[in-house]
Amino acid sequence: MTGGGEHDKCQKQSGHSHAASFGFDTRAIHHAFSPVDFKRAVQPPVFLTSTYGFESVEANDAAAALGGRLYAREYNPTTEILEQRLANLEGAEAGLVVSTGMAAFGTLILSLLSQGDELVVHKTLYSNTVAMVEQGLPRFGIKVVPVDLSDPSNLDTAITEKTKLVYFETPVNPLSSILDISAISERAHARGVKVAVDSTFASPALQRPIEHGADIVLHSLTKYINGHGDTLGGALLGDAETLHRLHETGLRYITGATLAPHSAFLIMRGLKTLSLRMDRHSASALAIARMLEAHPAVSWVSYPFLESHPGQAIARKQMTQGSGMLAFGLHAGFAGARNMLDHLQLMTRAVSLGDTDTLIYHPASITRARQSIRKDAHMISGVGDDLIRLSVGLEDVDDLIGDLQQALATL
Ligand code: PLP
């Protein structure tokens, strides 16, 4: 994690960490790394080691006192570059990367909340975050209070003296609805409660929640930040004191969910092209959203930068572009969605998002299929059984539009 240590001193002398003076893309490529610190390798080396050797007991003690650079569960030079770079891009003091986005959520909640504490969440969240808050956390005596944060005044009754954190996504998975980061943060802070935002759908290229008053940002690095669909990862970014706690408790002994250094390397490679990719994802998604909105078989479309989106003004305030995620429904409903997906010839039917490849999925079909193995699987609040989620990739937009049009024509 960032903050202190011999390595940070090296970074400051190396000439590549003048954070404020360089633009976003320059920092996405160079921040916290200089070839002179790593045998002149231009790309970050992947340190495959489980532990670190010391020249004396005294040196070993000194490393332990710096926060445990003794063992690769809690420290690796490759992942540390990624942590410093992501923290810088989000405007955070410090960062922590872990093995998946769900590991980031577990690390966050299990480090900051204890039995008897309360967590306020928006009523719609990524499905496995819902499983964690509905089934996981109550087993440990943490009370979860779901509210509709599209009206931030709902926080006034939801927050009690036991509330430790307010948590939400924006844009919200899978609805692509928008929550107002600054309005929610102001209300929570007025009651002394911290705010954590899952900004996975936007990435720091389009939205930086800390600039709008949030305290902590969570990312599934599996999605846009890596962007190539070939590894998993998660990140937490925020103030140095909180991140120290997440590192020292959450990663070290609660989850132990360390990111593999090779994954950190892949994610840094993806990060170098993040804003180029987000430009293309956003432009193509807007064109597709407009086409779908005008199509007679389509009953509704949710895309944050569409004029018809109820959160458009807030989206334009806190995001620079709309990203590549959209949701829509067909007049032919549940059956129509299944039929349409089966007729796609180019888009891939898959549940992830944020990749070069366009991915499309129908949550209601997956939920029904899961009920055979998990009786309590249910649709997420606010998600209808007609909803189709589309993660627009980097293919030629005309090919994507053509694929959707030919599939819709079969209805
Ligand atoms: N947050 C959001 C908004 C997601 O969409 C996902 C995964 O789909 C996660 C968190 C979890 O991330 P991971 O799959 O890397 O565990």
Side-chain angles (χ1 to χ4, degrees):
M1 89 176 243
T2 56
E6 302 143 15
H7 193 65
D8 295 67
K9 277 188 226 127
C10 277
Q11 300 302 339
K12 285 186 189 98
Q13 285 153 12
S14 71
H16 272 322
S17 61
H18 304 300
S21 56
F22 287 129
F24 184 93
D25 291 342
T26 306
R27 289 178 283 128
I29 293 169
H30 292 293
H31 185 76
F33 180 77
S34 169
V36 298
D37 297 332
F38 292 94
K39 307 257 187 210
R40 306 198 186 282
V42 171
Q43 299 306 328
V46 179
F47 284 86
L48 293 174
T49 184
S50 59
T51 190
Y52 303 91
F54 292 88
E55 62 277 26
S56 66
V57 174
E58 202 184 332
N60 207 336
D61 292 348
L66 280 174
R69 290 159 174 241
L70 310 179
Y71 187 65
R73 188 186 329 100
E74 65 262 2
Y75 169 64
N76 180 283
T78 313
T79 56
E80 187 181 53
I81 300 164
L82 176 60
E83 287 170 339
Q84 294 180 342
R85 200 167 281 176
L86 287 173
N88 175 275
L89 294 175
E90 282 289 357
E93 288 173 4
L96 175 68
V97 294
V98 289
S99 57
T100 65
M102 283 312 294
F105 186 66
T107 300
L108 175 74
I109 301 301
L110 298 176
S111 302
L112 300 188
L113 280 82
S114 301
Q115 192 176 27
D117 289 342
E118 295 182 6
L119 170 70
V120 174
V121 296
H122 180 56
K123 62 184 179 135
T124 310
L125 294 161
Y126 164 57
S127 58
N128 284 303
T129 309
V130 170
M132 174 70 160
V133 300
E134 284 184 355
Q135 288 146 49
L137 298 181
R139 288 178 40 229
F140 302 101
I142 295 169
K143 184 177 167 193
V144 179
V145 183
V147 286
D148 182 358
L149 289 178
S150 62
D151 180 356
S153 72
N154 286 335
L155 278 178
D156 298 348
T157 45
I159 291 177
T160 73
E161 69 281 3
K162 292 181 179 163
T163 308
K164 286 285 173 332
L165 191 68
V166 172
Y167 183 87
F168 62 94
E169 301 163 2
T170 189
V172 178
N173 186 3
L175 302 171
S176 287
S177 52
I178 296 292
L179 298 174
D180 188 332
I181 301 168
S182 60
I184 294 167
S185 301
E186 266 170 40
R187 295 238 176 205
H189 291 165
R191 302 284 296 275
V193 176
K194 286 198 178 204
V195 173
V197 179
D198 180 337
S199 191
T200 298
F201 264 39
S203 92
L206 305 186
Q207 167 178 285
R208 292 178 289 280
I210 291 170
E211 291 175 3
H212 300 279
D215 302 287
I216 298 163
V217 178
L218 181 146
H219 283 290
S220 166
L221 302 175
T222 316
K223 311 301 189 305
Y224 286 112
I225 292 178
N226 178 55
H228 293 73
D230 50 13
T231 193
L232 305 182
L236 293 160
L237 300 318
D239 65 279
E241 196 186 325
T242 305
L243 265 290
H244 182 73
R245 198 165 150 199
L246 297 177
H247 195 195
E248 285 301 305
T249 61
L251 178 61
R252 186 190 293 275
Y253 63 78
I254 296 177
T255 68
T258 305
L259 182 71
H262 188 250
S263 295
F265 174 88
L266 289 173
I267 293 163
M268 279 193 274
R269 186 168 69 171
L271 182 57
K272 289 185 186 212
T273 56
L274 179 66
S275 54
L276 278 176
R277 289 186 283 106
M278 295 316 291
D279 287 349
R280 177 70 168 264
H281 284 301
S282 300
S284 297
L286 183 58
I288 290 171
R290 292 218 160 102
M291 180 282 286
L292 288 172
E293 204 169 37
H295 198 286
V298 175
S299 57
W300 60 271
V301 182
S302 173
Y303 181 71
F305 271 42
L306 268 187
E307 293 68 23
S308 59
H309 192 287
Q312 196 215 170
I314 299 165
R316 287 183 187 270
K317 182 181 75 169
Q318 65 196 24
M319 298 171 77
T320 51
Q321 298 181 81
S323 191
M325 298 303 301
L326 59 93
F328 63 102
L330 305 177
H331 292 298
F334 178 86
R338 290 175 67 88
N339 188 12
M340 198 278 276
L341 259 69
D342 267 343
H343 282 90
L344 291 166
Q345 292 167 0
L346 169 61
M347 296 182 175
T348 306
R349 289 162 287 271
V351 293
S352 195
L353 63 102
D355 291 355
T356 52
D357 306 34
T358 294
L359 306 178
I360 190 163
Y361 110 107
H362 180 218
S365 288
I366 298 283
T367 303
R368 287 196 194 182
R370 281 224 178 110
Q371 279 163 348
S372 63
I373 53 160
R374 211 171 81 189
K375 292 279 168 283
D376 50 15
H378 63 83
M379 288 301 281
I380 306 305
S381 169
V383 181
D385 69 5
D386 61 336
L387 184 144
I388 298 167
R389 191 188 74 181
L390 180 61
S391 169
V392 177
L394 303 180
E395 302 93 336
D396 291 275
V397 68
D398 290 346
D399 293 338
L400 298 175
I401 287 175
D403 195 30
L404 282 168
Q405 283 173 333
Q406 66 77 25
L408 289 168
T410 65
L411 293 176

